[in-house]
Amino acid sequence: MPLTPTERDRLLLFTAAELARARHARGLRLNVPEATALVADTVCEAARDGVRLAEAIEAARSVLGPDDLLPGVIDVVTEIQVEAVFDDGSRLAAVADPFGARERHDDAPGAVLPASDSVDAPKPATTLAVRNTAAVPVSVTSHFHFFEANPRLDFDRAAAYGMRLAVPAGASFRFDPGGEAEVGLVPIGGARVAIGFAGLVDGPLDAPGAKEEALRRAAACGYLGANARHDDVALEGSNL
């Protein structure tokens, strides 16, 4: 059965979560990968059941408590983020304090400490006006391929191809329901390969015809902002 990279990642997460469930049922305390997988999978399954984002996060937060974890896990895992497919599209769920609030120890081995305020956002290479047409807020993280962000976000998809948000690594930007915002974008660096996300690229961003094919897929799947520019890009490609 052919699977997309996103589908393979989802099955891997589910398998890890099933292992965690089995060990938890035997009375074992869970380690970092097990606990993370179980919480993240709970979000994905809740989304599949048709619940809203806030309800999925609350369900995930109630799965495990401090007594279910090995020592130090609660100090290492302070937030779990997972991209889940809800009824209104793919959305980021950020589960803060996934195992319940309790006193943490900053000097614990592996503890995650907040970055200093001196961390700067990269300088934007371009800016785009974005409108959230969904009835719920939509958050996009720093290194998500912005071109493939939630289909209910209305913006110039062609201009966002190969770009990410110009925010510090690990940060995110929230688009309120029905709201509009202007965001800065920077080119994705490194090898410039986009795997996963919404599955519109799944390969090298700069390969011949990759942008045109991604726009075609986006338009076919109903992504707002893809139709308006798709014909123009196709014509540009035909003149090469």
Side-chain angles (χ1 to χ4, degrees), residues 150-219:
N150 192 293
R152 296 298 93 197
L153 294 180
D154 190 3
F155 60 91
D156 186 346
R157 298 272 170 180
Y161 184 83
M163 311 285 278
R164 67 173 183 85
L165 284 170
V167 297
S172 62
F173 193 96
R174 172 189 166 107
F175 299 93
D176 291 327
E180 298 185 19
E182 189 173 83
V183 297
L185 302 177
V186 294
I188 292 175
R192 287 184 57 76
V193 174
I195 298 293
F197 301 111
L200 298 179
V201 180
D202 281 336
L205 288 162
D206 302 321
K211 182 175 182 179
E212 292 79 4
E213 175 60 18
L215 278 165
R216 185 196 66 77
R217 293 180 181 179

Side-chain angles (χ1 to χ4, degrees), residues 2 6 10 13 19 27-28 42-43 51-52 59 63-64 67 70 83 99-100 147 150 162 169 172 175 196 213 223 240:
T6 300
R10 177 69 190 97
L13 174 62
L19 177 62
L28 299 178
T42 300
V43 172
V51 306
R52 299 178 67 113
V63 171
L64 297 173
D67 293 338
L70 288 171
E83 197 81 18
F99 315 117
F147 170 85
N150 192 293
S172 62
F175 299 93
E213 175 60 18
Y223 279 71
L240 295 178

Side-chain angles (χ1 to χ4, degrees), residues 87-183:
D87 288 345
D88 59 344
S90 179
R91 302 178 59 207
L92 176 72
V95 185
D97 292 321
F99 315 117
R102 59 160 279 191
E103 182 181 357
R104 291 189 174 85
H105 306 285
D106 289 345
D107 58 350
V112 178
L113 304 180
S116 68
D117 293 336
S118 62
V119 176
D120 296 325
K123 184 177 180 180
T126 187
T127 58
L128 285 181
V130 181
R131 182 168 63 94
N132 180 13
T133 68
V136 293
V138 174
S139 293
V140 182
T141 50
S142 60
H143 283 65
F144 194 91
H145 184 203
F146 201 75
F147 170 85
E148 303 183 62
N150 192 293
R152 296 298 93 197
L153 294 180
D154 190 3
F155 60 91
D156 186 346
R157 298 272 170 180
Y161 184 83
M163 311 285 278
R164 67 173 183 85
L165 284 170
V167 297
S172 62
F173 193 96
R174 172 189 166 107
F175 299 93
D176 291 327
E180 298 185 19
E182 189 173 83
V183 297

